Amino acid sequence: MFTGLVEETGDILALGRSGDGARLTVRAPLVSRDVRLGDSVAVNGCCLTVTAQDGETLAFDLLDETLARTNLNQLAPGAPVNLERALAAHARLGGHFVQGHIDTTSRVLAFEQVKADHRLEIALPGEFARYVAFKGSIAIDGISLTVAEVRAESFVVWIIPHTLAMTNLRAKKAADLVNLEFDLLAKYVERVLSVRGA
């Protein structure tokens, strides 16, 4: 479980294909100080297991499912990725509950500066539209954000300067692919209502 509060942006060093998956290697100066083999780390919001560590370098093994469902397979060496260690039981919950289970990827439609802030508009696939609500929570590349506007085929969030500086959003542009995880509570509410209606 994560909070969607990014601790640092790491740099992709390599993505090597092997058999039915791949190995992702990331430089992570901060996060690497306090992780061990087997620990969970959210990489662009995707919960991955640390399978190797060498100083500031962490490695993760990716299944085909992970490669198909996330944007990790499209990122080149040098690309920044958002990193967050798993939530400790005694820690403050500053964002929202993020599982690290990516629901889908989607394209950035517009990313523009408006005064000190940035307006980010992302395409909203129709099959997931029911999970997005005005002022609701959403994780974009693992970043906990608040939905400011829901449109017919997209949604909008606003990015403050601190978030821009501390995450990979500073490198994003229109047409880039981002990972989306929709609010866990919305999914459970839908499930409860569907069971009751059965």
Side-chain angles (χ1 to χ4, degrees), residues 107-188:
R107 297 283 176 189
V108 173
L109 297 180
F111 194 30
E112 54 198 2
Q113 185 168 358
V114 181
K115 296 183 180 178
D117 302 318
H118 281 73
R119 178 185 180 275
L120 174 60
E121 183 175 358
I122 296 173
L124 179 56
E127 64 268 32
F128 296 105
R130 62 189 181 278
Y131 298 130
V132 180
F134 175 63
K135 297 298 183 185
S137 296
I138 192 166
I140 300 173
D141 270 1
I143 309 163
S144 175
L145 294 166
T146 301
V147 177
E149 184 181 347
V150 181
R151 312 185 77 178
E153 297 181 347
S154 65
F155 67 93
V156 173
V157 296
W158 284 85
I159 310 300
I160 62 172
H162 176 77
T163 303
L164 188 70
M166 296 300 294
T167 70
N168 69 347
L169 290 179
R170 63 183 180 269
K172 295 294 181 185
K173 60 187 182 304
D176 281 352
L177 203 63
V178 293
N179 293 330
L180 299 181
E181 181 185 330
F182 301 102
D183 189 20
L184 177 64
L185 295 177
K187 297 173 189 175
Y188 275 115

Side-chain angles (χ1 to χ4, degrees), residues 24-153:
L24 176 67
T25 308
V26 178
R27 180 179 173 273
L30 174 64
V31 168
S32 62
R33 295 180 198 166
D34 190 31
V35 297
R36 295 177 294 180
L37 295 184
D39 282 355
S40 295
V41 175
V43 181
N44 273 6
C46 180
C47 180
L48 299 176
T49 301
V50 176
T51 55
Q53 181 177 8
D54 182 10
E56 296 183 346
T57 300
L58 300 176
F60 309 89
D61 292 333
L62 309 183
L63 299 173
D64 276 345
E65 169 73 6
T66 304
L67 293 170
R69 194 171 290 273
T70 73
N71 65 5
L72 297 178
N73 66 341
Q74 298 196 6
L75 300 179
V81 287
N82 296 324
L83 301 175
E84 180 189 355
R85 289 166 290 186
L87 175 65
H90 64 277
R92 291 177 175 158
L93 180 62
H96 73 282
F97 285 121
V98 177
Q99 290 183 292
H101 302 162
I102 304 303
D103 291 300
T104 190
T105 56
S106 195
R107 297 283 176 189
V108 173
L109 297 180
F111 194 30
E112 54 198 2
Q113 185 168 358
V114 181
K115 296 183 180 178
D117 302 318
H118 281 73
R119 178 185 180 275
L120 174 60
E121 183 175 358
I122 296 173
L124 179 56
E127 64 268 32
F128 296 105
R130 62 189 181 278
Y131 298 130
V132 180
F134 175 63
K135 297 298 183 185
S137 296
I138 192 166
I140 300 173
D141 270 1
I143 309 163
S144 175
L145 294 166
T146 301
V147 177
E149 184 181 347
V150 181
R151 312 185 77 178
E153 297 181 347

